[in-house]
Amino acid sequence: MYSSLPPNAGRVKNWDLKKQATIRMTLLLYLILHILAASAQQDDHNWEKQWCIADEQTPDDVLQQALNWACGPGGADCTMIEPNKSCYLPNTVRNHASYAFNSYWQKFKKHGGTCYFNAAAIVTDLDPSHNSCHFELAA
């Protein structure tokens, strides 16, 4: 009896089945890892306990420009760094910028706002609050 199948047809078919099984297993593992990562991210609220502060390496003139933007067009609440308010002292550009950057970031980070300010700011998990000056966290 003549067959149109090549002599190795059974082996090719087995190889194809093994390849399909490997691809399915890889996709299943990827899906599981993706679900676990998403679940862990939802359970990890450490990002909620972070503050945006002025980078120590940024010159004061750059900080001042970023501070002006944050307290102006940026929409940060800068009332607490005004004279006689709880965050006015120490009266330095760096401290005022840190307060303003954090105010902006806490207000807008859930809507895409960043802690960048032209590379003048960094994110920290150490609470920068001091004395009676309280750095807010997002509600």
Side-chain angles (χ1 to χ4, degrees):
M1 174 173 194
Y2 178 73
S3 171
S4 63
L5 294 175
N8 64 348
R11 283 181 275 156
V12 171
K13 187 175 182 180
N14 286 339
W15 184 84
D16 283 343
L17 290 175
K18 287 179 184 177
K19 183 178 177 183
Q20 288 176 2
T22 302
I23 291 171
R24 285 185 186 129
M25 186 61 71
T26 302
L27 290 173
L28 180 61
L29 287 173
Y30 176 77
L31 179 63
I32 290 170
L33 287 174
H34 182 72
I35 290 169
L36 288 174
S39 174
Q41 188 176 27
Q42 289 175 353
D43 292 340
D44 182 12
H45 296 287
N46 284 340
W47 66 271
E48 292 177 353
K49 292 190 177 181
Q50 292 182 328
W51 295 265
C52 179
I53 60 170
D55 188 336
E56 292 290 326
Q57 300 176 11
T58 305
D60 281 355
D61 60 324
V62 175
L63 289 175
Q64 185 65 59
Q65 289 177 353
L67 171 61
N68 292 345
W69 181 87
C71 292
D77 180 2
C78 296
T79 56
M80 299 310 289
I81 55 176
E82 293 174 358
N84 300 318
K85 298 289 184 165
S86 62
C87 295
Y88 179 71
L89 296 176
N91 182 16
T92 66
V93 173
R94 186 164 319 284
N95 283 309
H96 288 186
S98 288
Y99 188 87
F101 294 171
N102 187 66
S103 172
Y104 170 85
W105 191 55
Q106 298 299 333
K107 186 175 181 181
F108 296 111
K109 70 181 176 181
K110 290 184 180 177
H111 306 289
T114 65
C115 176
Y116 182 68
F117 299 94
N118 290 331
I122 59 170
V123 174
T124 182
D125 58 356
L126 300 174
D127 186 350
S129 299
H130 54 276
N131 302 325
S132 62
C133 178
H134 178 72
F135 279 57
E136 298 294 324
L137 287 171

